[in-house]
Amino acid sequence: MKRVMLFCFVILLAACATAPTLTPVPSPVGESPTPAATWTPVPPTGTATVTPMPKLTREDLKSMSGADKLKMAPQAESAPEDVVSSFAAGESAKDIKWSGKSLTFWDRVVAYEGTTRSGEKVTLYYDLESGQWAKQYADFDEVSKIPADEVADVMVVNDENGAHLVRNKLQYDYDWISQPQVMIEGKMVFRDEKGYPKAIWDTNAKKWLRPEETDIPWTREKWEKALSQYSWVGDDGIKRDGSNFFKDSQGYRKILTSKSEIEDLPAGSQVQIYNPSGEITFWTSQEEAAKRFNEGAIVVLYFRSISPKKLSQKAF
């Protein structure tokens, strides 16, 4: 009963926010405590001045304003050569014209926008939580060559859906909701800002795994198994079984099966997204829904709403 009340409570809270995200998954394995903020000097290059590199805990970041985080971040010109060259071959950080920096990835990563001498736009990333710059990898094959002693906490991984900034840290800085795990049975999961797993480091086998080589992504089969444990009563008073959750229901629910079908929906359509992260997203734009569909999410169109207070647990 306690689980049921928590699940309902989370849904009701989410209904009050913009595009909320729910995670009906077990509580995450806790990360080991992070020591208080420390500063690690950047290895000098030639006669360059050594720049302090901040490494902040999640508690530090929660207490800091956005302006303070940006002030704490190093200058783009201090980015290591191998990091810069992974974004712009043949360029150095000092040759790039930097136009400013901003916060991204739950305000824990600093993004630096710049233009190379040839006019190419580049963005570098510095992770405040780990004190590391993100190096870019062209594809998973490049990631798979990273040695065990060089596994970083943050990187940019490219795939058929574009470039993804990924980290091996918990996403949210609040504890009232379950969230995608970082460590799952000895596997370190690198997720993008949506929580989608993009690369996995097996700490036991000392090798990289694609997400699809594991059972970590929430596939349709995994969602169906989890949702089959629930039943609910819709606003029409009809009780429905969760085992049929991803089946079309005339005048009630439709499973969208193409990007164009999503993009052609009327403005304001009520959709829910069942993400590979194990999270459910409510009330988002058609454009965002189409992007997530391309990355493996299940998008469901509802013609009638389900009242969260009428959701009940059938078995767990």
Side-chain angles (χ1 to χ4, degrees):
M1 179 61 71
K2 185 176 181 181
R3 278 182 174 270
V4 178
M5 293 177 66
L6 176 59
F7 184 74
C8 296
F9 175 65
V10 170
I11 295 179
L12 287 171
L13 281 178
C16 301
T18 301
T21 301
L22 309 181
T23 311
V25 296
S27 297
V29 176
E31 293 181 295
S32 57
T34 307
T38 57
W39 288 262
T40 305
V42 177
T45 302
T47 58
T49 303
V50 175
T51 305
M53 300 290 277
K55 181 178 181 180
L56 305 168
T57 66
R58 292 179 69 197
E59 289 304 314
D60 292 328
L61 293 169
K62 284 174 66 175
S63 65
M64 295 172 65
S65 67
D68 286 341
K69 292 176 185 178
L70 292 174
K71 186 183 299 183
M72 181 70 74
Q75 296 301 311
E77 289 79 6
S78 68
E81 290 182 10
D82 63 331
V83 169
V84 178
S85 63
S86 70
F87 290 89
E91 299 278 350
S92 72
K94 292 183 178 179
D95 291 330
I96 296 174
K97 183 178 180 180
W98 299 104
S99 56
K101 54 187 177 181
S102 59
L103 292 172
T104 187
F105 215 119
W106 302 93
D107 289 347
R108 297 196 199 110
V109 176
V110 179
Y112 302 79
E113 304 287 342
T115 306
T116 67
R117 290 171 294 182
S118 63
E120 178 187 0
K121 299 291 184 181
V122 295
T123 304
L124 264 58
Y125 301 96
Y126 178 81
D127 183 34
L128 291 166
E129 198 170 352
S130 64
Q132 298 173 355
W133 292 88
K135 188 175 179 178
Q136 179 171 222
Y137 296 89
D139 51 34
F140 184 82
D141 287 340
E142 280 196 3
V143 172
S144 66
K145 297 174 184 176
I146 301 173
D149 59 351
E150 294 180 18
V151 176
D153 292 349
V154 58
M155 56 186 169
V156 174
V157 180
N158 284 266
D159 62 19
E160 64 275 9
N161 294 302
H164 309 274
L165 177 65
V166 297
R167 303 165 73 242
N168 62 357
K169 306 293 182 185
L170 291 175
Q171 304 289 85
Y172 313 130
D173 59 5
Y174 40 79
D175 57 10
W176 56 268
I177 186 173
S178 296
Q179 60 179 300
Q181 300 177 26
V182 173
M183 290 294 296
I184 301 176
E185 297 179 351
K187 296 179 178 64
M188 181 185 294
V189 187
F190 286 79
R191 302 179 185 272
D192 65 13
E193 196 166 0
K194 294 179 291 191
Y196 289 19
K198 294 298 179 180
I200 296 163
W201 172 250
D202 189 322
T203 60
N204 297 318
K206 304 298 181 185
K207 62 181 290 188
W208 289 95
L209 300 171
R210 298 176 186 273
E212 58 267 26
E213 294 180 273
T214 71
D215 63 354
I216 291 173
W218 276 65
T219 60
R220 178 164 179 157
E221 292 72 25
K222 195 170 182 178
W223 271 115
E224 287 177 341
K225 182 178 179 180
L227 294 169
S228 67
Q229 302 175 76
Y230 294 91
S231 63
W232 68 92
V233 177
D235 287 344
D236 54 8
I238 299 175
K239 183 177 181 179
R240 291 175 171 84
D241 191 294
S243 61
N244 296 316
F245 213 90
F246 293 135
K247 294 180 181 178
D248 289 347
S249 176
Q250 177 114 23
Y252 185 76
R253 172 184 61 235
K254 179 176 175 56
I255 312 303
L256 303 179
T257 57
S258 70
K259 181 179 177 182
S260 60
E261 192 175 23
I262 297 169
E263 293 174 333
D264 291 341
L265 289 174
S269 296
Q270 181 180 327
V271 297
Q272 291 180 9
I273 302 174
Y274 296 83
N275 298 283
S277 61
E279 300 174 307
I280 306 172
T281 303
F282 297 80
W283 308 307
T284 190
S285 68
Q286 282 109 299
E287 180 183 10
E288 179 66 15
K291 288 180 180 178
R292 298 201 179 193
F293 174 84
N294 275 356
E295 293 188 52
I298 304 163
V299 181
V300 183
L301 170 67
Y302 284 96
F303 303 105
R304 299 177 186 173
S305 63
I306 301 173
S307 298
K309 64 183 180 181
K310 294 183 180 180
L311 186 68
S312 63
Q313 184 180 40
K314 184 174 71 174
F316 192 76

